[in-house]
Amino acid sequence: MKPHTLLIVDDDDTVAEMLELVLHGAGYEVRRAASGEEALQQILQESTRCPDL
């Protein structure tokens, strides 16, 4: 079964990296974005369905 994918959006690299490590360790696939604009670009490029918010 494919793991759920989470997108972390935070402009603080330290916080985003910490969350990524914890969530990846819990079995999630993790993506990161530094801004809302970057997050929307990733969603539009990589997703075929609307994300759960």
Side-chain angles (χ1 to χ4, degrees), residues 27-43:
Y28 293 96
E29 183 176 333
V30 180
R31 302 279 189 254
R32 287 172 46 183
S35 68
E37 183 178 334
E38 185 181 333
L40 288 173
Q41 288 175 352
Q42 285 190 35
I43 291 168

Side-chain angles (χ1 to χ4, degrees), residues 5-25:
T5 301
L6 300 176
L7 175 59
I8 298 170
V9 183
D10 200 309
D11 62 349
D12 185 324
D13 281 339
T14 303
V15 172
E17 186 175 350
M18 177 83 63
L19 282 169
E20 182 179 13
L21 290 171
V22 170
L23 293 169
H24 184 74

